[in-house]
Amino acid sequence: MATHEISLTVNGEDREFDVESGTLLVHALRDQLGYTGPNVGCESTVCGACTVRLDGDSVKSCTVLAVQADGSEVTTVSGLADGDDLHPLQESFRDEHALQCGYCTPGMLMSSLSLLEREPDPDREEIREGIEGNLCRCTGYEPIVDAVEAAAGEMRGGTDAASEEGE
């Protein structure tokens, strides 16, 4: 199989490396570059565990060939935190117990971030629609919806529904 030299900016770091033509982005990130945040789940777009941001859009990295991403900016779940400071979504997933085994968490976080960038004040149904395509076998989804709702409030400056009710 032919190989190609590609370049990616992953979590702010410029990377150049060779990939075979048929290498999926998820495998290039994990196996060649060591970014283990995107998980390999179904490899058929069903589970969402491999979701990353590609040039600002959430994509299932099992559907993108690495060569298709050449020259792109990729953000994995590990790119959300700023050093030891967690992103508000990461904090809310922890605080709301929105993770159990953690396998779906990277994809849920990346999809949730895209949702909150499109809709900073989503209702619970919009949150459910925003994480659609990400499967979780542990939480029952309610803690995930709670976490996204809490993070939305935090990201808007602390004006979530709970703080508004107390006013």
Side-chain angles (χ1 to χ4, degrees):
M1 191 174 283
T3 61
H4 307 273
E5 184 178 337
I6 66 169
S7 64
L8 298 175
T9 301
V10 184
N11 299 335
E13 182 180 351
D14 293 332
R15 305 293 299 265
E16 290 186 14
F17 59 104
D18 293 328
V19 294
E20 292 186 357
S21 298
T23 302
L24 295 173
L25 180 58
V26 67
H27 291 296
L29 290 169
R30 289 182 61 84
D31 303 337
Q32 292 182 255
L33 301 179
Y35 295 98
T36 58
N39 288 315
V40 178
C42 64
E43 291 187 295
S44 63
T45 76
V46 174
C47 74
C50 67
T51 303
V52 298
R53 303 282 301 257
L54 181 64
D55 293 329
D57 295 322
S58 287
V59 300
K60 294 178 181 180
S61 59
C62 74
T63 65
V64 178
L65 294 172
V67 295
Q68 291 175 299
D70 185 22
S72 295
E73 184 172 326
V74 177
T75 305
T76 71
V77 67
S78 60
L80 292 182
D82 184 12
D84 289 337
D85 295 328
L86 295 179
H87 187 279
L89 270 167
Q90 292 170 309
E91 288 181 352
S92 67
F93 267 60
R94 178 195 61 210
D95 295 345
E96 298 292 333
H97 308 288
L99 45 96
Q100 287 181 21
C101 81
Y103 204 79
C104 72
T105 304
M108 288 287 188
L109 286 166
M110 302 312 283
S111 294
S112 297
L113 179 61
S114 290
L115 165 67
L116 295 179
E117 287 177 350
R118 285 189 318 271
E119 176 54 62
D121 190 16
D123 63 31
R124 292 181 71 80
E125 185 58 33
E126 290 170 318
I127 293 169
R128 287 183 188 93
E129 290 173 10
I131 61 172
E132 199 170 67
N134 291 270
L135 300 179
C136 176
R137 296 178 62 132
C138 300
T139 68
Y141 297 97
E142 287 306 307
I144 294 170
V145 174
D146 293 343
V148 176
E149 189 175 48
E154 180 67 27
M155 292 168 68
R156 288 191 318 272
T159 58
D160 63 356
S163 65
E164 289 173 6
E165 289 174 11
E167 292 181 12

